[in-house]
Amino acid sequence: MEETWDNSIASKTCYIYDYFHDDFFADEHGITRSLAEGMTYENTNKTKIDAKFIVKSYQSMDKDQVEYYLMFRPSQPVRFNEGDDLYYYETDFRKRYGATFPIGLFVDVPDDRGIYHKWIVCRDEPANQFPKYLILPVNYELTWIEKSNDKRIKRRMWCCLRQQNSYTIGTYTDRYFTHTDNQSKVWLPMNSITEKFWYTDDDAKNMRVIVSALTEHPTVWTVTKCETASTLGLQKLTLYTNFFNEHTDYVNLETGEMYANYFDSEIAPTDPSTPTTPPSSITARISASTSTIKVGGSYKNLTANLFNDSNEDITTEYADATFTWTCSIDDEDWTDKVTWRAGTEYNQKKVKFPNDTSVIGKILSIKCEIVKDYLPIKSEILPLELIE
């Protein structure tokens, strides 16, 4: 096998690595990673490894994914000493989770055109001489909010989506009610990030994640089971149908970000590599032509300006920021009850109040949150009296 290795058409030069040794490819927003196209290895943290790509079957009638295997070169070591490129497996996977190399690692495998695709090693296939390893294609980047004491951190990681073997029509009816009934599974590598997934016997308190195409109302799921030992080195999540909540869940169609329970706390979620608070010296104020707004009247122009600690207007420095406008009456959210229109400038907005005379004389409180480089700045409240 060793002598004829290079002559085999199945032999490929692959790259193996864990989550922390992945090479990220960011777009102009700095958050989107490349899954397959464009991966190069001139300067990489990944480890080169020789393997044969084996297809066990080309179609399946009763499973959601046919099986693919990798077989490493016979001379490839599976245990590593200090100084080896893959020594981190001994401490991070074998010692901590009891895993066996290479379970839980990502591997980049080239196709017939030489384009590398990301896979995850899921199981070993024992053999007397030449053991093989089951691999599955990585097909989704899961995003979620991690709660750690008083911190809430935005997380994202490539994973493998799996379907349950039992298929349903999507609803279940007991003696009294009919409710949605759909299940799915997600397989991720086990590491210091994914080990924090959890669930309880109270569905209302379980973690929620979004697994969906990028839409305004994506499909949301509840984590109902975490399996960390069915295959040591993997975190297997079982998901159950939930509902999208426009008040707590966050979707950005431009950047592709989707987070369940994003607004579930007063503490804003942050990326682990970014500061948790904006510069305290920057303030934001909203201005309008008058301090009143007519019920059922025309649009009113609003302008948000930002100032530094010297009270100098620095709004032009936030031309690429995101301005999110909200309003309320007596602490009741009215953001979706009024009509908004874009202003002529990036820091301007137009608002029109509906013809609801029951609130005449009350105060409409307008706020704006400006986010740049993941740092939110909340404006001062602009009070507008509702008049006829």
Side-chain angles (χ1 to χ4, degrees), residues 161-179:
L161 300 183
R162 304 285 286 168
Q163 293 180 351
Q164 292 283 55
N165 289 331
S166 57
Y167 298 94
T168 70
I169 62 173
T171 60
Y172 172 76
T173 303
D174 56 21
R175 294 179 59 188
Y176 304 101
F177 301 103
T178 297
H179 56 83

Side-chain angles (χ1 to χ4, degrees), residues 78-310:
V78 294
R79 283 189 174 272
F80 309 96
N81 299 316
E82 192 170 355
D84 293 336
D85 290 341
L86 292 169
Y87 178 69
Y88 61 80
Y89 194 92
E90 301 297 325
T91 55
D92 296 346
F93 282 81
R94 198 187 308 273
K95 182 177 180 180
R96 184 164 184 172
Y97 303 115
T100 302
F101 180 83
I103 308 303
L105 293 182
F106 293 115
V107 59
D108 293 349
V109 182
D111 60 17
D112 293 338
R113 297 175 298 161
I115 297 176
Y116 280 87
H117 298 266
K118 191 186 296 286
W119 300 70
I120 186 171
V121 186
C122 299
R123 192 182 67 211
D124 62 338
E125 189 87 357
N128 291 333
Q129 269 190 309
F130 308 118
K132 299 187 292 294
Y133 303 95
L134 172 68
I135 62 173
L136 292 174
V138 172
N139 51 16
Y140 190 76
E141 190 177 26
L142 183 67
T143 58
W144 71 95
I145 299 297
E146 174 189 313
K147 294 182 180 180
S148 178
N149 297 324
D150 60 341
K151 295 181 180 179
R152 299 174 67 243
I153 304 171
K154 294 193 294 185
R155 297 293 191 186
R156 56 196 308 138
M157 190 175 298
W158 291 111
C159 66
C160 175
L161 300 183
R162 304 285 286 168
Q163 293 180 351
Q164 292 283 55
N165 289 331
S166 57
Y167 298 94
T168 70
I169 62 173
T171 60
Y172 172 76
T173 303
D174 56 21
R175 294 179 59 188
Y176 304 101
F177 301 103
T178 297
H179 56 83
T180 57
D181 181 31
N182 199 10
Q183 301 176 42
S184 186
K185 293 184 76 70
V186 173
W187 290 10
L188 301 113
M190 191 68 177
N191 53 46
S192 58
I193 296 176
T194 58
E195 71 177 18
K196 294 182 175 65
F197 277 100
W198 54 271
Y199 68 101
T200 69
D201 57 356
D202 186 352
D203 290 341
K205 297 180 180 180
N206 281 346
M207 288 185 67
R208 297 168 66 249
V209 296
I210 295 179
V211 179
S212 172
L214 183 62
T215 62
E216 290 186 2
H217 296 87
T219 306
V220 181
W221 306 78
T222 299
V223 178
T224 58
K225 185 165 61 173
C226 303
E227 299 174 79
T228 60
S230 58
T231 302
L232 294 172
L234 291 182
Q235 171 69 279
K236 297 182 179 180
L237 306 179
T238 299
L239 309 179
Y240 193 76
T241 309
N242 201 270
F243 296 96
F244 178 78
N245 187 332
E246 61 183 7
H247 300 294
T248 63
D249 302 333
Y250 174 77
V251 176
N252 190 319
L253 298 178
E254 295 183 0
T255 64
E257 291 182 287
M258 296 190 294
Y259 293 97
N261 294 344
Y262 184 90
F263 301 106
D264 195 32
S265 169
E266 294 181 357
I267 305 173
T270 61
D271 282 324
S273 59
T274 59
T276 57
T277 57
S280 58
S281 57
I282 297 178
T283 58
R285 306 185 199 121
I286 305 174
S287 59
S289 57
T290 64
S291 60
T292 60
I293 184 171
K294 289 185 177 181
V295 172
S298 58
Y299 284 91
K300 191 171 192 66
N301 295 316
L302 307 171
T303 303
N305 292 94
L306 295 101
F307 303 86
N308 60 18
D309 54 355
S310 300

Side-chain angles (χ1 to χ4, degrees), residues 15 17 22-25 33-44 46 106-111 114-119 138 158:
Y15 291 84
Y17 52 98
D22 197 355
D23 300 322
F24 296 132
F25 295 82
R33 279 76 168 176
S34 170
L35 182 59
E37 303 288 346
M39 287 191 285
T40 58
Y41 301 93
E42 289 84 2
N43 184 18
T44 181
K46 304 174 182 179
F106 293 115
V107 59
D108 293 349
V109 182
D111 60 17
I115 297 176
Y116 280 87
H117 298 266
K118 191 186 296 286
W119 300 70
V138 172
W158 291 111

